[in-house]
Amino acid sequence: MACGFRRSIACQLSRVLDLPPENLIKSISAVPVSRKEEVADFQLSVDSLLENNNDHSKPDVQVQAMRLAEKLKCDTVVSEISTGQGTVNFKINRELLTKTVLQQVMEDGSKYGLKSELFSGLPQKKIIVEFSSPNVAKKFHVGHLRSTIIGNFIANLKEALGHQVTRINYLGDWGMQFGLLGTGFQLFGYEEKLQSNPLQHLFEVYVQVNKEAADDKNVAKSAHEFFQRLELGDTQALALWQKFRDLSIEEYTRIYKRLGIHFDEYSGESFYREKSQEVLKLLDSKGLLQKTVKGTAVVDLSGNGDPSSICTVMRSDGTSLYTTRDLAAAIDRMDKYNFDKMIYVTDKGQKKHFQQVFQMLQIMGYDWAERCQHVPFGVVQGMKTRRGDVTFLEDVLNEIRLRMLQNMASVKTTKELENPQETAERVGLAALIIQDFRGLLLSDYQFSWDRVFQSRGDTGVFLQYTHARLHSLEETFGCGYLNDFNTACLQEPQSVSILQHLLRFDEVLYRSSQDLQPRHIVSYLLTLSHLAAVAHKTLHIKSSPPEVAGARLHLFKAVRCVLANGMKLLGITPVCKM
């Protein structure tokens, strides 16, 4: 991983520049394969060195690069030094490159790229990731899919980097909708329907009671009364609410299992209905709470009455709101976990809400509010099934599996599979995740079934296909070849391109760890798969002498390992047959 090469170059530079090697390591980057003239493996940007130089009359970077290159010498690691546009380029001894990269991939296994010097000195932190957060008693809406897969990716990445991660699912399990639902179930609910298909039945009840409440003030009144009973802790009302909550979590857990996602804690707004009263008292004691003419309580975050900075924290009847409960949850989590970072993964529509929550925590005297971060994302448009508009995630998952099974059945190369349903689901999920993660998380995007299922091009199907194909090479030719290999047999341009690309994996992980964007890893894995496809056509194993076949098999195994590592970080389970 960059396999000590970066450090070796930094040590030589440090002697010439009289700077500690640690200051130079992040300025030395592996050169992306796509832009490669066949020479350099690493480059040093002279500009990045000059940034530390406060001298405003910066000398011409090209001249600087050439001067620096003249002072450097080739050694056992670096076989060639040249200059580019403001860069000093380093070519690594080819046989050393081959041996070191392939050995490191095999030795480090799932930790390849994560043991890099780029991550050295990284303190282990306690990190909370709050994601998914569907609304109880409603079917899992497709709108929660992005939060679920993005949050899972962030938690996977942080965990892989050695942090202690707690995954929290903060359910929408409190609020006026439960007044409506409780009343609706008393009017239109059936116990047997609730047991056989809970979320579908509750959805139907909710739609019906909403219609009734719009026409009949008495229904709206009893809904309000039911929610007040809940807030006051009425045992009958709470027992019904608890039943709705338990059945909902059961359904969600089943869907999360299909997605390959788990949580450490199922929390919810209901946990904080009492603690939110303590938050209101604290705001009041600090003189921050203001009563309005309507009887609601607000906090003015601007201090000068700016209407856009006024945040409502209590209804006129004294019941809590979403914001108050979020404040109570944040304070409670700090007490319970003493976190170094708490990341909320929700759509960009909640950006202002979180800004206000973090600001309110600050003015309440909680300095740790700066450890809280909102990771916003855009909206998916046009996700429909063949039956028309879709709102439920399960329908999308079923559709994906069905279409994938049909696609697999129509392809002649499809292998006999032990569990075609499971394979179809895993490939389909990869397709869904890659389409979602290819762009900036903040961007909205148009969902396209046709694009999702393309087996060629930059898709999840292509990644799974590449992984399965490389796995089948290992199965066909066995592991007998894999004991030792001759580095001289891997000097073709196709081999060198793959090795150079494997060299960059740590940088890609580092970039994603900095901005929490999965697209860097997606783009890297797609390039790796394309390079592997080209190599597979030209670097044959079957007709080659044993020594050459063994070396090539080693190379393809390394590709498959890194591909699998990256896919797992993204939340994709690699398949071995397709």
Side-chain angles (χ1 to χ4, degrees):
M1 241 115 18
C3 307
F5 295 142
R6 207 184 272 112
R7 179 166 291 279
S8 177
I9 294 167
C11 286
Q12 194 185 160
L13 285 165
S14 103
R15 289 192 290 273
V16 172
L17 296 167
D18 199 23
L19 287 168
E22 272 60 35
N23 296 17
L24 297 163
I25 278 172
K26 284 177 186 167
S27 303
I28 301 162
S29 56
V31 184
V33 164
S34 52
R35 293 207 304 268
K36 200 152 284 189
E37 307 150 38
E38 262 185 62
V39 287
D41 300 308
F42 288 96
Q43 61 183 29
L44 169 79
S45 160
V46 175
D47 240 357
S48 67
L49 290 181
L50 296 175
E51 277 168 20
N52 308 324
N53 182 354
N54 295 326
D55 180 6
H56 293 295
S57 59
K58 281 186 185 175
D60 176 16
V61 287
Q62 200 54 43
V63 173
Q64 283 285 90
M66 290 173 81
R67 275 189 201 151
L68 180 55
E70 281 164 14
K71 294 177 188 169
L72 299 167
K73 291 185 174 66
C74 293
D75 53 22
T76 52
V77 175
V78 177
S79 63
E80 204 174 293
I81 298 169
S82 59
T83 56
Q85 279 304 109
T87 62
V88 180
N89 303 329
F90 303 88
K91 184 177 175 181
I92 302 297
N93 170 317
R94 282 291 165 255
E95 290 202 13
L96 184 65
L97 174 81
T98 310
K99 188 175 181 180
T100 314
V101 172
L102 295 186
Q103 259 182 0
Q104 195 112 39
V105 175
M106 296 308 164
E107 280 170 21
D108 291 351
S110 62
K111 291 282 178 201
Y112 179 72
L114 297 161
K115 292 182 170 183
S116 162
E117 56 265 36
L118 295 178
F119 297 111
S120 65
L122 186 77
Q124 289 199 350
K125 292 184 174 177
K126 290 179 192 161
I127 297 174
I128 289 175
V129 187
E130 184 204 287
F131 64 105
S132 194
S133 309
N135 295 314
V136 159
K138 291 184 180 177
K139 287 188 83 171
F140 201 123
H141 191 274
V142 81
H144 291 282
L145 174 66
R146 286 205 90 185
S147 170
T148 307
I149 59 178
I150 293 165
N152 185 50
F153 159 71
I154 292 171
N156 288 345
L157 183 61
K158 294 288 184 190
E159 229 159 47
L161 289 167
H163 300 300
Q164 187 183 325
V165 177
T166 304
R167 301 157 185 255
I168 295 182
N169 197 342
Y170 183 66
L171 301 169
D173 64 355
W174 203 249
M176 196 53 220
Q177 74 267 29
F178 287 98
L180 278 163
L181 202 56
T183 300
F185 192 74
Q186 287 167 343
L187 292 170
F188 317 113
Y190 292 97
E191 190 58 40
E192 58 275 20
K193 280 190 180 178
L194 183 67
Q195 294 303 329
S196 65
N197 194 347
L199 295 192
Q200 185 59 40
H201 184 51
L202 289 175
F203 175 66
E204 288 158 4
V205 167
Y206 192 68
V207 170
Q208 203 171 347
V209 75
N210 262 307
K211 272 187 201 157
E212 296 287 328
D215 302 334
D216 185 343
K217 283 192 176 144
N218 286 329
V219 173
K221 186 167 175 264
S222 35
H224 195 82
E225 285 165 0
F226 190 94
F227 183 54
Q228 272 195 309
R229 279 168 58 203
L230 275 177
E231 285 259 301
L232 294 166
D234 176 88
T235 46
Q236 268 185 309
L238 277 172
L240 191 58
W241 166 84
Q242 188 69 48
K243 185 189 281 185
F244 295 163
R245 190 181 191 276
D246 292 346
L247 287 166
S248 300
I249 290 179
E250 247 174 68
E251 283 280 281
Y252 297 151
T253 308
R254 196 171 52 76
I255 290 173
Y256 290 130
K257 198 174 175 186
R258 285 182 74 174
L259 292 168
I261 286 170
H262 72 278
F263 292 92
D264 300 303
E265 182 183 303
Y266 279 91
S267 168
E269 294 180 59
S270 62
F271 286 50
Y272 302 105
R273 60 184 190 274
E274 285 162 20
K275 287 186 174 162
S276 57
Q277 295 304 318
E278 292 167 27
V279 167
L280 293 171
K281 281 179 196 157
L282 186 58
L283 286 165
D284 199 20
S285 71
K286 289 187 178 281
L288 298 166
L289 211 56
Q290 300 172 14
K291 283 280 171 73
T292 66
V293 185
K294 293 176 183 170
T296 59
V298 299
V299 174
D300 175 11
L301 291 166
S302 66
N304 58 20
D306 173 5
S308 69
S309 295
I310 287 178
C311 187
T312 307
V313 290
M314 187 184 79
R315 290 193 186 89
S316 55
D317 63 3
T319 54
S320 61
L321 283 150
Y322 182 56
T323 304
T324 336
R325 295 191 285 270
D326 260 0
L327 289 167
I331 295 164
D332 179 59
R333 287 173 193 169
M334 191 61 193
D335 290 343
K336 186 174 173 183
Y337 294 107
N338 190 23
F339 59 79
D340 298 297
K341 190 88 178 162
M342 177 154 64
I343 299 166
Y344 297 86
V345 184
T346 74
D347 69 84
K348 60 185 176 185
Q350 294 200 47
K351 189 177 174 188
K352 186 180 177 187
H353 163 75
F354 282 108
Q355 279 172 344
Q356 291 187 330
V357 167
F358 302 160
Q359 207 177 333
M360 236 178 295
L361 286 167
Q362 285 277 17
I363 61 172
M364 286 166 80
Y366 295 115
D367 294 343
W368 49 259
E370 62 192 25
R371 302 183 203 172
C372 299
Q373 179 185 0
H374 177 219
V375 174
F377 55 81
V379 181
V380 186
Q381 291 143 341
M383 202 180 256
K384 300 173 182 179
T385 62
R386 286 171 185 163
R387 294 202 305 263
D389 278 341
V390 66
T391 46
F392 303 130
L393 179 59
E394 193 149 30
D395 295 339
V396 173
L397 295 180
N398 292 341
E399 178 106 2
I400 278 182
R401 187 168 61 192
L402 181 69
R403 290 196 189 204
M404 207 58 235
L405 277 168
Q406 289 168 344
N407 281 16
M408 281 158 50
S410 67
V411 177
K412 287 173 189 160
T413 54
T414 298
K415 302 266 191 298
E416 275 295 315
L417 301 170
E418 278 173 36
N419 191 339
Q421 297 262 357
E422 187 181 84
T423 302
E425 181 131 290
R426 285 177 177 174
V427 176
L429 266 175
L432 198 65
I433 288 170
I434 295 300
Q435 174 161 283
D436 195 288
F437 285 178
R438 279 187 62 197
L440 267 171
L441 293 181
L442 205 50
S443 309
D444 300 340
Y445 77 89
Q446 194 68 34
F447 180 81
S448 152
W449 283 109
D450 292 338
R451 202 167 60 239
V452 158
F453 289 119
Q454 284 170 356
S455 57
R456 305 205 175 281
D458 291 345
T459 66
V461 180
F462 175 55
L463 286 188
Q464 288 283 33
Y465 173 71
T466 306
H467 184 272
R469 194 177 182 186
L470 294 174
H471 189 269
S472 116
L473 272 184
E474 289 169 45
E475 280 203 325
T476 307
F477 297 102
C479 297
Y481 281 128
L482 290 174
N483 297 331
D484 199 16
F485 65 98
N486 182 348
T487 52
C489 298
L490 288 177
Q491 300 309 315
E492 309 86 349
Q494 298 90 330
S495 302
V496 173
S497 291
I498 286 175
L499 292 161
Q500 287 172 318
H501 195 59
L502 291 175
L503 207 51
R504 284 190 63 233
F505 191 48
D506 62 344
E507 283 180 23
V508 172
L509 294 177
Y510 183 74
R511 279 187 75 185
S512 281
S513 75
Q514 293 297 295
D515 63 9
L516 302 183
Q517 296 283 335
R519 66 197 175 107
H520 311 303
I521 297 174
V522 170
S523 161
Y524 175 89
L525 296 180
L526 289 165
T527 302
L528 183 60
S529 296
H530 286 298
L531 290 170
V534 171
H536 190 266
K537 279 182 190 153
T538 48
L539 307 178
H540 301 126
I541 293 174
K542 196 175 179 178
S543 52
S544 304
E547 198 177 35
V548 175
R552 288 174 179 176
L553 203 53
H554 236 93
L555 181 71
F556 286 128
K557 186 179 168 76
V559 171
R560 187 188 63 74
C561 290
V562 174
L563 192 56
N565 291 351
M567 286 162 83
K568 286 172 191 168
L569 283 177
L570 298 173
I572 296 168
T573 305
V575 301
C576 295
K577 278 184 180 173
M578 246 176 96

